[in-house]
Amino acid sequence: MALVHDVLIIGGGGAGLRAAIAAAELDPRLDIAVVSKVYPMRSHTVSAEGGAAAVIKPGDSLDAHAYDTISGGDWLSDQDAVEAFVREAPAEMLQLEHWGCPWSREPDGHVAVRPFGGMKLERTWFAADKTGFHMLHALFQTTLKYDSIRRYDEWFVTKILVDEGRCQGVVAIEVATGRIQAVLAKAVILCTGGCGKVFPYTTNASIKNGDGMALAYRAGAPLKDMEFVQYHPTGLPFTGILITEATRSEGGWLLNKDGYRYLQDYDLGKPEPKPVFRSMELGPRDRLSQAFVKEQEKGRTLVGPYGHYVHLDIRHLGQKLIDKKLPFVRELCLKYENIDPVKEMIPVRPVVHYMMGGIHTDIHGATSLAGLFAAGEVACVSINGANRLGSNSLTELLVFGARAGTAAAAFASQQRKPSPSVLAQAQDEERRLGERFLRKTGGTEKVAALRAEMQKTMEESAGIYRTASVLEEAARKLRKLQERFHDVSLEDRSYTFNTELIAVLELSYMLDVAEAIVHSALQRRESRGSHQRTDYPKRDDTQFLAHSLATRGENGSPRIEYLSVTITRWPPAQRVYGR
C-alpha cells in the first residue's frame, strides 16, 4: 500500500526544511512530507560555519551584491536569478532571526557582518562560527509547529516515479526495517545536497553522494554545469574537515613553507583599509586553490603523510577573538589535529567543497520534468556560475528553498491524485533491489574498492587543473567502473539497518554523477572559474558563455548540450580583484 501526500520533499537540510515551511504557509490544507536519509539535524547544513550573505549595512546595495556574485561566477551566472536572490535575501535572513536564529551582534545591538571571499563589502551575517548549526535549528524547530508537515527520518530514496509525463512520487527504503515503499505525491522537491564524496578529500559529510542529482538524471532531467567543482583552500589534510573562511575574514594568513604570505604574488588584490575590507586571503576560492597548486609546483609547500599543505596562521588574532568568533575552529583543531590555533599554525590544503552545478531548474526551482522541483546545492538555478562566492550558499538555501516550496505547492494544488499505475513501477524497483543486490550471489566486486578507484580517478582528472587527455582517460575508466559495478556483491543480505545496501546504492549515484562531471569538463574547451584547462587557458565567451546540460544517453553515458546564459544588466567583463 502506497503512502500518499500532496508535496514530497527529499532531504531534510536547510533547503528542504525551508521548502516545507513555504509550502505549508502557501496552503495549510496541503499534506506535506519530508523524507530524509538522516535525522534532519544531521543534514550537512549543520556543518556550515562562516556565514550567510545578504545586504543590510549602509553603503552596501543589492546591485553591489549582484555584481560581486556575477563577476565571482566569471559571468556564467544567470543574472535574472541573481537579481531575485539578492533582492529576497535580506527578508529571508530577518525571517530566520524571527524564527530564532541567534545572529551575532555589534555592541550597539545591530546584526554583525563580516567580510568573505570575493565580496567587496562586509555583508556576511554569522552566528559565531556555527552559522549552519543555528540556521538549521531555527528551521527545524519552526517546522514542528505545522501539523501538515510529516517526516520520514532515515528513509533512503532509490527511484523517482514518472507517469503521464510528470513526477508522481518516489520509491524509498525505510532503513530501520528494510521495507521498500512507494511514496506518491503530486509534486516532489529534491533538496539532497551536493556530491563531494565523489572525490577523496572533501569537506562534505559522508551522506553527500549526489543522490538527488542522479535520481533526476535517471528520470530524464538534465544536469547543468557539472564541470564546475569548487575546492575550498583551507581543509584539514587528512579528514578534509573545513576550516572556515571566517578565519581569514577575521585576519588569518596563508603561509608557505618559508613563512611567506604567498598570495601577494598572485592577482588576488592587495590588503586595503576599511571600509573596503579587502585582503589577499579573501580572494575567491578558485583563485586561492589555484595559487596553492602554483606554490606546490614551485616547491614552496610543506609535505606531510597526506600530501602537500601550507599553514593557516591565526595566532596573531589572540585567544580572546578566537574564543569569541572562531570557537569551533579551535575545537576542530584540538580534536582532529591535536594543535591549539591560539599557539600553533594550522595545516591546510585545498579540498572539494561545493558543486556549482546540479539539476537544471528555472528561477522557481522547477525542472524540465513536470512535478519535479529542486533547491539548494543539488540544484543549479544558476546563481553561482563558474565559482560560488563564500556565504552565498546558505542564503541560497533559504531564497530558493522558499521559492521551490511555494512553486511546488501551487503546482500540487492544481493536480489530480497520483495515478495508481505508478505502483507497478514501485514493484519493479523492489524486484530490482532484491535481484541485483539482496539476493544476488557470485559477484566479485566490492563497494569500497570501486569507490576508492572512482575517487582516485576524479582527483587525478577533474581536480583544480584539467587536460583533454587526462579527462578522456578518466571517461574510459569510469565507464569500466560502471561495467564492473554490475558484478558488485554484498555480504549483508539482511533488511534491518543494511548500511551496505545503502552504500552500494550511493556508489551507483556517484558513478553517474562522476561521469557527468568528466564529460562536461571534457567538452568545455576553455578556462573559467573553477574549471581550469591547461590546454585551453583562456576564457572563451564566443563559444562557451553557455551552460552545459548533461542528459543521460541510451547507453548510460552523458550527452552534452549547451544553453545560453541569461544576461540582464551586466555584460561579460574581465574578472579582477583588488582594483
Side-chain angles (χ1 to χ4, degrees), residues 475-550:
R476 287 191 288 270
K477 288 181 179 179
L478 290 171
R479 185 66 349 215
K480 288 180 180 177
L481 288 174
Q482 289 275 28
E483 293 169 1
R484 288 169 58 190
F485 179 80
H486 290 288
D487 197 33
V488 74
S489 65
L490 303 184
E491 294 183 9
D492 187 354
R493 306 298 177 86
S494 67
Y495 285 84
T496 304
F497 286 107
N498 189 336
T499 55
E500 189 181 16
L501 174 61
I502 302 303
V504 75
L505 295 173
E506 288 175 332
L507 175 60
S508 73
Y509 293 154
M510 287 191 281
L511 287 169
D512 280 359
V513 170
E515 283 198 299
I517 292 170
V518 166
H519 282 263
S520 298
L522 181 59
Q523 294 301 315
R524 185 174 289 275
R525 295 181 293 277
E526 65 158 356
S527 290
R528 185 187 298 267
S530 65
H531 173 71
Q532 293 293 306
R533 289 280 298 264
T534 56
D535 46 353
Y536 294 96
K538 300 294 184 183
R539 193 179 88 186
D540 183 356
D541 287 342
T542 302
Q543 300 256 3
F544 291 104
L545 186 62
H547 300 295
S548 64
L549 295 178

Coordinates of all heavy atoms in Angstrom, one line a residue, residues 475-550:
A475 N 37.2 9.3 -18.5 CA 35.9 8.8 -19.0 C 35.9 7.3 -19.3 O 34.9 6.6 -19.0 CB 35.6 9.6 -20.3
R476 N 37.0 6.9 -19.8 CA 37.1 5.4 -20.1 C 37.1 4.6 -18.8 O 36.5 3.6 -18.7 CB 38.4 5.1 -20.9 CG 38.3 5.6 -22.4 CD 39.5 5.0 -23.2 NE 40.7 5.7 -22.8 CZ 41.2 6.8 -23.4 NH1 40.5 7.4 -24.4 NH2 42.3 7.3 -23.1
K477 N 37.9 5.1 -17.8 CA 37.9 4.4 -16.5 C 36.6 4.3 -15.8 O 36.2 3.3 -15.3 CB 39.0 5.1 -15.6 CG 40.4 4.9 -16.0 CD 41.4 5.5 -15.0 CE 42.8 5.3 -15.4 NZ 43.7 6.0 -14.4
L478 N 35.9 5.5 -15.9 CA 34.5 5.5 -15.2 C 33.6 4.6 -15.9 O 32.7 3.9 -15.3 CB 34.0 6.9 -15.2 CG 34.7 7.9 -14.3 CD1 34.3 9.3 -14.5 CD2 34.6 7.5 -12.8
R479 N 33.7 4.5 -17.3 CA 32.8 3.6 -18.0 C 33.1 2.1 -17.6 O 32.1 1.3 -17.4 CB 33.0 3.8 -19.5 CG 32.1 3.0 -20.4 CD 30.6 3.3 -20.5 NE 29.9 4.1 -19.5 CZ 28.7 3.9 -19.1 NH1 28.0 2.8 -19.5 NH2 28.0 4.7 -18.3
K480 N 34.4 1.8 -17.4 CA 34.7 0.5 -17.0 C 34.2 0.2 -15.5 O 33.8 -0.9 -15.2 CB 36.2 0.3 -17.0 CG 36.8 0.2 -18.5 CD 38.3 0.0 -18.5 CE 38.8 -0.1 -19.9 NZ 40.3 -0.2 -19.9
L481 N 34.3 1.2 -14.7 CA 33.8 1.1 -13.3 C 32.3 0.8 -13.3 O 31.8 0.1 -12.5 CB 34.1 2.3 -12.5 CG 35.6 2.4 -12.1 CD1 35.8 3.8 -11.4 CD2 36.0 1.3 -11.2
Q482 N 31.6 1.5 -14.2 CA 30.1 1.3 -14.4 C 29.9 -0.2 -14.7 O 28.9 -0.8 -14.2 CB 29.5 2.2 -15.4 CG 29.5 3.7 -15.0 CD 28.2 4.0 -14.3 OE1 27.6 3.2 -13.6 NE2 27.8 5.3 -14.3
E483 N 30.7 -0.7 -15.6 CA 30.5 -2.1 -16.0 C 30.8 -3.1 -14.9 O 30.1 -4.1 -14.7 CB 31.4 -2.4 -17.2 CG 31.0 -1.6 -18.5 CD 32.0 -1.7 -19.6 OE1 33.1 -2.4 -19.4 OE2 31.8 -1.1 -20.7
R484 N 31.9 -2.8 -14.2 CA 32.3 -3.6 -13.0 C 31.2 -3.5 -11.9 O 31.1 -4.5 -11.2 CB 33.7 -3.2 -12.5 CG 34.8 -3.5 -13.4 CD 36.1 -2.9 -13.0 NE 36.5 -3.2 -11.6 CZ 37.4 -2.6 -11.0 NH1 38.1 -1.7 -11.5 NH2 37.7 -3.0 -9.7
F485 N 30.6 -2.4 -11.8 CA 29.5 -2.3 -10.8 C 28.5 -3.3 -10.9 O 27.9 -3.7 -9.9 CB 28.9 -0.9 -10.8 CG 27.8 -0.6 -9.8 CD1 28.2 -0.3 -8.5 CD2 26.5 -0.7 -10.2 CE1 27.2 -0.1 -7.6 CE2 25.5 -0.5 -9.2 CZ 25.8 -0.2 -7.9
H486 N 28.2 -3.8 -12.1 CA 27.2 -4.8 -12.3 C 27.5 -6.1 -11.6 O 26.7 -7.0 -11.4 CB 26.9 -5.1 -13.8 CG 26.3 -3.9 -14.5 ND1 24.9 -3.6 -14.3 CD2 26.7 -3.0 -15.3 CE1 24.6 -2.6 -15.0 NE2 25.7 -2.1 -15.6
D487 N 28.8 -6.3 -11.3 CA 29.3 -7.5 -10.6 C 29.5 -7.3 -9.1 O 30.2 -8.1 -8.5 CB 30.6 -8.0 -11.3 CG 30.9 -9.4 -11.0 OD1 30.0 -10.2 -10.9 OD2 32.1 -9.8 -10.9
V488 N 29.0 -6.2 -8.6 CA 29.2 -5.9 -7.2 C 28.4 -6.9 -6.3 O 27.3 -7.4 -6.7 CB 28.8 -4.5 -6.8 CG1 27.3 -4.3 -6.8 CG2 29.4 -4.0 -5.5
S489 N 28.9 -7.3 -5.2 CA 28.2 -8.2 -4.3 C 28.2 -7.6 -2.9 O 29.1 -6.9 -2.5 CB 28.9 -9.6 -4.3 OG 30.2 -9.5 -3.7
L490 N 27.2 -8.0 -2.1 CA 27.0 -7.6 -0.7 C 27.3 -8.8 0.2 O 26.9 -9.9 -0.1 CB 25.6 -7.0 -0.5 CG 25.2 -5.8 -1.3 CD1 23.8 -5.4 -0.9 CD2 26.2 -4.7 -1.3
E491 N 27.9 -8.5 1.3 CA 28.0 -9.5 2.4 C 26.8 -9.6 3.3 O 26.4 -10.6 3.8 CB 29.3 -9.3 3.2 CG 30.5 -9.5 2.4 CD 31.8 -9.3 3.2 OE1 31.7 -9.2 4.5 OE2 32.9 -9.3 2.6
D492 N 26.2 -8.4 3.4 CA 25.0 -8.3 4.3 C 23.7 -8.4 3.4 O 23.4 -7.6 2.6 CB 25.0 -6.9 5.0 CG 23.9 -6.8 6.0 OD1 23.0 -7.7 6.1 OD2 23.9 -5.7 6.8
R493 N 23.0 -9.5 3.7 CA 21.7 -9.7 2.9 C 20.5 -9.4 3.8 O 19.4 -9.8 3.4 CB 21.7 -11.2 2.4 CG 22.9 -11.6 1.6 CD 23.1 -10.8 0.4 NE 24.3 -11.2 -0.4 CZ 24.4 -12.2 -1.2 NH1 23.3 -12.9 -1.5 NH2 25.5 -12.4 -1.8
S494 N 20.7 -8.9 4.9 CA 19.6 -8.6 5.8 C 18.8 -7.4 5.4 O 19.2 -6.6 4.5 CB 20.0 -8.5 7.3 OG 20.8 -7.3 7.4
Y495 N 17.7 -7.1 6.0 CA 16.9 -6.0 5.7 C 17.0 -4.9 6.8 O 17.0 -3.7 6.5 CB 15.4 -6.4 5.6 CG 15.1 -7.1 4.3 CD1 15.3 -8.4 4.1 CD2 14.6 -6.4 3.2 CE1 15.0 -9.1 2.9 CE2 14.4 -7.0 2.0 CZ 14.6 -8.3 1.9 OH 14.3 -9.0 0.7
T496 N 17.3 -5.3 8.0 CA 17.3 -4.3 9.1 C 18.6 -3.5 9.1 O 19.7 -4.1 9.2 CB 17.1 -5.0 10.5 OG1 15.9 -5.8 10.4 CG2 17.1 -4.0 11.6
F497 N 18.5 -2.2 9.0 CA 19.7 -1.3 9.0 C 20.8 -1.9 8.1 O 22.0 -2.0 8.6 CB 20.2 -1.2 10.5 CG 19.4 -0.3 11.3 CD1 18.6 -0.8 12.3 CD2 19.3 1.1 11.1 CE1 17.7 0.0 13.1 CE2 18.5 1.9 11.9 CZ 17.7 1.4 12.9
N498 N 20.5 -2.2 6.9 CA 21.5 -2.7 6.0 C 22.3 -1.5 5.4 O 21.9 -1.0 4.3 CB 20.9 -3.6 4.9 CG 21.9 -4.3 4.1 OD1 23.0 -3.8 4.0 ND2 21.5 -5.4 3.5
T499 N 23.3 -1.1 6.1 CA 24.0 0.1 5.6 C 24.9 -0.2 4.4 O 25.2 0.7 3.6 CB 24.9 0.7 6.7 OG1 25.8 -0.4 7.2 CG2 24.1 1.2 7.8
E500 N 25.2 -1.5 4.2 CA 26.0 -1.9 3.0 C 25.1 -1.7 1.7 O 25.6 -1.3 0.7 CB 26.5 -3.3 3.1 CG 27.4 -3.7 2.0 CD 27.9 -5.1 2.1 OE1 27.3 -5.9 2.8 OE2 28.9 -5.4 1.4
L501 N 23.8 -2.0 1.8 CA 22.9 -1.8 0.7 C 22.9 -0.3 0.4 O 22.9 0.1 -0.8 CB 21.5 -2.3 1.0 CG 20.4 -2.0 0.0 CD1 20.8 -2.6 -1.4 CD2 19.1 -2.5 0.5
I502 N 22.7 0.5 1.4 CA 22.7 2.0 1.2 C 24.0 2.4 0.5 O 24.0 3.2 -0.4 CB 22.5 2.7 2.5 CG1 21.2 2.3 3.2 CG2 22.5 4.2 2.3 CD1 20.0 2.4 2.4
A503 N 25.2 1.9 1.0 CA 26.4 2.3 0.4 C 26.6 1.9 -1.1 O 27.1 2.7 -1.9 CB 27.6 1.6 1.2
V504 N 26.0 0.7 -1.5 CA 26.2 0.3 -2.9 C 25.2 1.2 -3.7 O 25.6 1.5 -4.9 CB 25.9 -1.2 -3.0 CG1 24.4 -1.5 -2.9 CG2 26.4 -1.7 -4.4
L505 N 24.1 1.6 -3.2 CA 23.2 2.4 -4.0 C 23.8 3.8 -4.1 O 23.7 4.5 -5.2 CB 21.8 2.5 -3.3 CG 21.0 1.2 -3.3 CD1 19.8 1.3 -2.5 CD2 20.7 0.7 -4.8
E506 N 24.4 4.3 -3.1 CA 25.1 5.6 -3.1 C 26.2 5.6 -4.1 O 26.5 6.5 -4.9 CB 25.6 6.0 -1.7 CG 24.6 6.4 -0.8 CD 25.1 6.6 0.7 OE1 26.1 6.0 1.0 OE2 24.5 7.4 1.4
L507 N 27.0 4.5 -4.2 CA 28.0 4.3 -5.2 C 27.5 4.4 -6.6 O 28.1 5.1 -7.5 CB 28.8 3.0 -5.0 CG 29.9 2.7 -6.0 CD1 30.9 3.8 -6.0 CD2 30.5 1.3 -5.8
S508 N 26.3 3.8 -6.8 CA 25.7 3.9 -8.2 C 25.4 5.3 -8.5 O 25.6 5.7 -9.7 CB 24.5 3.0 -8.2 OG 23.4 3.5 -7.5
Y509 N 24.9 6.1 -7.6 CA 24.7 7.5 -7.8 C 25.9 8.3 -8.1 O 26.0 9.1 -9.1 CB 24.0 8.1 -6.6 CG 22.6 7.6 -6.3 CD1 22.1 7.7 -4.9 CD2 21.8 7.1 -7.2 CE1 20.8 7.2 -4.6 CE2 20.5 6.7 -6.9 CZ 20.0 6.7 -5.6 OH 18.8 6.3 -5.3
M510 N 27.0 8.0 -7.3 CA 28.2 8.7 -7.5 C 28.9 8.4 -8.9 O 29.4 9.3 -9.5 CB 29.2 8.4 -6.4 CG 28.8 9.0 -5.1 SD 30.2 8.8 -3.8 CE 29.9 7.1 -3.3
L511 N 28.8 7.2 -9.3 CA 29.3 6.9 -10.7 C 28.6 7.6 -11.8 O 29.3 8.1 -12.7 CB 29.2 5.4 -10.9 CG 30.2 4.5 -10.1 CD1 29.8 3.0 -10.3 CD2 31.6 4.7 -10.6
D512 N 27.3 7.8 -11.7 CA 26.6 8.6 -12.7 C 27.0 10.0 -12.6 O 27.2 10.7 -13.7 CB 25.1 8.5 -12.4 CG 24.4 7.2 -12.9 OD1 25.2 6.4 -13.5 OD2 23.2 7.0 -12.8
V513 N 27.1 10.6 -11.4 CA 27.5 12.0 -11.3 C 28.9 12.2 -11.7 O 29.2 13.2 -12.4 CB 27.3 12.4 -9.8 CG1 27.9 13.8 -9.6 CG2 25.8 12.4 -9.4
A514 N 29.8 11.3 -11.4 CA 31.2 11.4 -11.8 C 31.3 11.5 -13.3 O 32.1 12.3 -13.9 CB 32.0 10.2 -11.3
E515 N 30.6 10.6 -14.0 CA 30.6 10.7 -15.5 C 30.1 12.0 -16.0 O 30.6 12.5 -17.0 CB 29.7 9.5 -16.1 CG 30.4 8.2 -16.0 CD 29.7 7.2 -17.0 OE1 28.5 6.9 -16.8 OE2 30.4 6.7 -17.9
A516 N 29.0 12.5 -15.4 CA 28.5 13.8 -15.9 C 29.6 14.9 -15.7 O 29.7 15.8 -16.5 CB 27.3 14.2 -15.1
I517 N 30.3 14.9 -14.6 CA 31.3 15.9 -14.3 C 32.5 15.8 -15.4 O 32.9 16.8 -16.0 CB 31.9 15.7 -12.9 CG1 30.9 16.0 -11.8 CG2 33.2 16.6 -12.7 CD1 31.3 15.6 -10.4
V518 N 33.0 14.6 -15.6 CA 34.1 14.4 -16.5 C 33.7 14.7 -17.9 O 34.5 15.4 -18.6 CB 34.6 12.9 -16.4 CG1 35.6 12.6 -17.5 CG2 35.3 12.8 -15.1
H519 N 32.6 14.3 -18.4 CA 32.2 14.6 -19.8 C 31.9 16.0 -20.0 O 32.2 16.6 -21.0 CB 30.9 13.7 -20.2 CG 31.3 12.3 -20.5 ND1 31.4 11.8 -21.8 CD2 31.5 11.2 -19.7 CE1 31.7 10.5 -21.7 NE2 31.7 10.1 -20.5
S520 N 31.3 16.7 -19.0 CA 31.1 18.1 -19.1 C 32.4 18.9 -19.1 O 32.5 19.9 -19.9 CB 30.2 18.6 -17.9 OG 28.9 18.0 -17.9
A521 N 33.3 18.5 -18.3 CA 34.7 19.1 -18.3 C 35.4 18.9 -19.6 O 36.1 19.8 -20.1 CB 35.5 18.6 -17.1
L522 N 35.3 17.7 -20.2 CA 36.0 17.4 -21.4 C 35.4 18.3 -22.6 O 36.2 18.8 -23.4 CB 35.8 16.0 -21.8 CG 36.4 15.4 -23.0 CD1 38.0 15.6 -23.0 CD2 36.1 14.0 -23.2
Q523 N 34.1 18.5 -22.6 CA 33.5 19.3 -23.7 C 33.8 20.8 -23.6 O 33.8 21.5 -24.6 CB 32.0 19.0 -23.8 CG 31.7 17.6 -24.1 CD 32.2 17.2 -25.5 OE1 32.1 18.0 -26.5 NE2 32.8 16.0 -25.6
R524 N 34.0 21.3 -22.4 CA 34.2 22.8 -22.2 C 35.6 23.1 -22.4 O 36.5 23.0 -21.5 CB 33.7 23.2 -20.8 CG 33.8 24.7 -20.6 CD 33.3 25.2 -19.3 NE 31.8 25.1 -19.2 CZ 31.0 26.1 -19.7 NH1 31.4 27.2 -20.3 NH2 29.7 25.9 -19.6
R525 N 35.9 23.5 -23.6 CA 37.3 23.8 -24.0 C 37.7 25.2 -23.8 O 37.9 26.0 -24.7 CB 37.5 23.4 -25.5 CG 37.3 21.9 -25.7 CD 37.5 21.4 -27.1 NE 36.5 22.0 -28.0 CZ 35.3 21.4 -28.2 NH1 35.0 20.3 -27.5 NH2 34.4 22.0 -29.0
E526 N 37.7 25.6 -22.5 CA 38.1 26.9 -22.1 C 38.5 26.8 -20.6 O 38.3 25.8 -20.0 CB 37.0 27.9 -22.3 CG 35.8 27.6 -21.4 CD 34.9 28.8 -21.1 OE1 35.2 29.9 -21.6 OE2 33.8 28.6 -20.5
S527 N 39.0 27.9 -20.0 CA 39.2 28.0 -18.6 C 38.3 29.1 -18.1 O 38.3 30.3 -18.6 CB 40.6 28.3 -18.3 OG 41.5 27.2 -18.5
R528 N 37.5 28.8 -17.1 CA 36.5 29.7 -16.5 C 36.3 29.3 -15.0 O 35.9 28.2 -14.8 CB 35.2 29.7 -17.3 CG 34.2 30.8 -16.8 CD 32.8 30.6 -17.5 NE 32.9 30.8 -19.0 CZ 32.7 31.9 -19.6 NH1 32.4 33.0 -18.9 NH2 32.8 32.0 -20.9
G529 N 36.5 30.2 -14.1 CA 36.2 30.0 -12.7 C 37.0 28.8 -12.2 O 38.2 28.6 -12.4
S530 N 36.2 27.8 -11.6 CA 36.8 26.6 -11.1 C 37.2 25.6 -12.1 O 37.9 24.6 -11.8 CB 35.9 26.0 -10.1 OG 34.7 25.5 -10.8
H531 N 36.8 25.8 -13.4 CA 37.2 24.9 -14.4 C 38.4 25.4 -15.2 O 38.3 26.4 -16.0 CB 36.0 24.7 -15.4 CG 36.3 23.9 -16.6 ND1 36.5 22.6 -16.6 CD2 36.5 24.3 -17.9 CE1 36.8 22.1 -17.8 NE2 36.7 23.2 -18.7
Q532 N 39.6 24.8 -14.9 CA 40.8 25.3 -15.5 C 41.4 24.2 -16.4 O 41.8 23.2 -15.9 CB 41.8 25.7 -14.4 CG 41.4 26.9 -13.6 CD 41.4 28.2 -14.4 OE1 42.4 28.6 -15.0 NE2 40.2 28.9 -14.4
R533 N 41.4 24.5 -17.7 CA 42.0 23.6 -18.7 C 43.4 24.1 -19.1 O 43.5 25.2 -19.7 CB 41.1 23.5 -19.9 CG 39.8 22.7 -19.7 CD 40.0 21.2 -19.8 NE 40.5 20.8 -21.1 CZ 39.7 20.3 -22.0 NH1 38.4 20.3 -21.9 NH2 40.3 20.0 -23.2
T534 N 44.4 23.4 -18.8 CA 45.8 23.9 -19.1 C 46.0 23.9 -20.6 O 46.8 24.6 -21.1 CB 46.9 23.0 -18.4 OG1 46.7 21.6 -18.8 CG2 46.8 23.2 -16.9
D535 N 45.2 23.1 -21.3 CA 45.3 23.1 -22.8 C 44.4 24.1 -23.4 O 44.5 24.4 -24.6 CB 45.0 21.7 -23.4 CG 43.7 21.0 -22.8 OD1 43.2 21.6 -21.8 OD2 43.3 20.0 -23.2
Y536 N 43.5 24.7 -22.7 CA 42.7 25.9 -23.1 C 42.7 26.9 -22.0 O 41.7 27.1 -21.3 CB 41.3 25.4 -23.5 CG 41.2 24.5 -24.7 CD1 41.2 23.1 -24.5 CD2 41.2 25.0 -26.0 CE1 41.1 22.2 -25.6 CE2 41.1 24.1 -27.1 CZ 41.1 22.8 -26.8 OH 41.0 21.9 -27.9
P537 N 43.8 27.7 -21.8 CA 43.9 28.5 -20.6 C 43.1 29.8 -20.6 O 43.0 30.4 -19.6 CB 45.4 28.8 -20.6 CG 45.8 28.7 -22.1 CD 45.0 27.7 -22.7
K538 N 42.5 30.2 -21.7 CA 41.7 31.4 -21.8 C 40.2 31.2 -21.7 O 39.7 30.1 -22.1 CB 42.0 32.1 -23.1 CG 43.5 32.5 -23.3 CD 44.0 33.5 -22.3 CE 45.4 33.9 -22.6 NZ 45.9 34.9 -21.6
R539 N 39.5 32.2 -21.2 CA 38.1 32.1 -21.2 C 37.6 32.5 -22.6 O 38.1 33.4 -23.2 CB 37.5 33.2 -20.2 CG 36.0 33.1 -19.9 CD 35.6 34.1 -18.9 NE 35.2 35.4 -19.6 CZ 34.9 36.5 -19.0 NH1 34.9 36.6 -17.6 NH2 34.5 37.6 -19.6
D540 N 36.6 31.7 -23.1 CA 36.1 31.9 -24.4 C 34.6 32.2 -24.4 O 33.8 31.3 -24.5 CB 36.4 30.6 -25.2 CG 36.0 30.7 -26.7 OD1 35.4 31.7 -27.1 OD2 36.3 29.7 -27.4
D541 N 34.3 33.5 -24.4 CA 32.9 33.9 -24.3 C 32.2 33.6 -25.7 O 30.9 33.5 -25.7 CB 32.8 35.3 -24.0 CG 33.1 35.6 -22.5 OD1 33.1 34.6 -21.7 OD2 33.4 36.7 -22.1
T542 N 32.9 33.6 -26.7 CA 32.3 33.3 -28.0 C 31.7 32.0 -28.1 O 30.5 31.8 -28.6 CB 33.3 33.5 -29.2 OG1 33.9 34.8 -29.1 CG2 32.7 33.3 -30.5
Q543 N 32.4 31.0 -27.7 CA 31.9 29.6 -27.8 C 31.3 29.1 -26.5 O 30.3 28.2 -26.5 CB 33.1 28.6 -28.0 CG 33.9 29.0 -29.3 CD 33.5 28.0 -30.4 OE1 32.7 27.1 -30.3 NE2 34.2 28.2 -31.6
F544 N 31.7 29.6 -25.3 CA 31.3 28.9 -24.1 C 30.7 29.8 -23.0 O 30.7 29.5 -21.8 CB 32.5 28.2 -23.5 CG 32.9 27.0 -24.3 CD1 34.1 27.0 -25.1 CD2 32.2 25.8 -24.3 CE1 34.4 25.9 -25.9 CE2 32.5 24.7 -25.1 CZ 33.7 24.8 -25.9
L545 N 30.1 30.9 -23.4 CA 29.3 31.7 -22.5 C 28.0 31.0 -22.5 O 26.9 31.6 -22.9 CB 29.2 33.2 -22.9 CG 28.5 34.1 -21.9 CD1 29.2 34.1 -20.6 CD2 28.3 35.5 -22.5
A546 N 27.9 29.8 -21.9 CA 26.8 29.0 -22.0 C 26.8 27.9 -20.9 O 27.9 27.5 -20.5 CB 26.7 28.3 -23.4
H547 N 25.7 27.5 -20.5 CA 25.6 26.4 -19.5 C 25.7 25.0 -20.2 O 25.1 24.8 -21.3 CB 24.3 26.4 -18.8 CG 24.0 27.7 -18.0 ND1 24.8 28.1 -16.9 CD2 23.1 28.7 -18.2 CE1 24.3 29.2 -16.5 NE2 23.3 29.6 -17.2
S548 N 26.4 24.1 -19.7 CA 26.4 22.7 -20.2 C 25.2 22.0 -19.6 O 24.9 22.2 -18.4 CB 27.7 22.0 -19.8 OG 27.8 21.9 -18.4
L549 N 24.6 21.2 -20.4 CA 23.5 20.3 -20.0 C 23.8 18.9 -20.3 O 24.0 18.5 -21.4 CB 22.2 20.7 -20.7 CG 21.6 22.1 -20.4 CD1 20.3 22.3 -21.2 CD2 21.3 22.3 -18.9
A550 N 24.0 18.1 -19.2 CA 24.3 16.7 -19.4 C 23.0 15.8 -19.2 O 22.3 15.9 -18.2 CB 25.3 16.2 -18.3

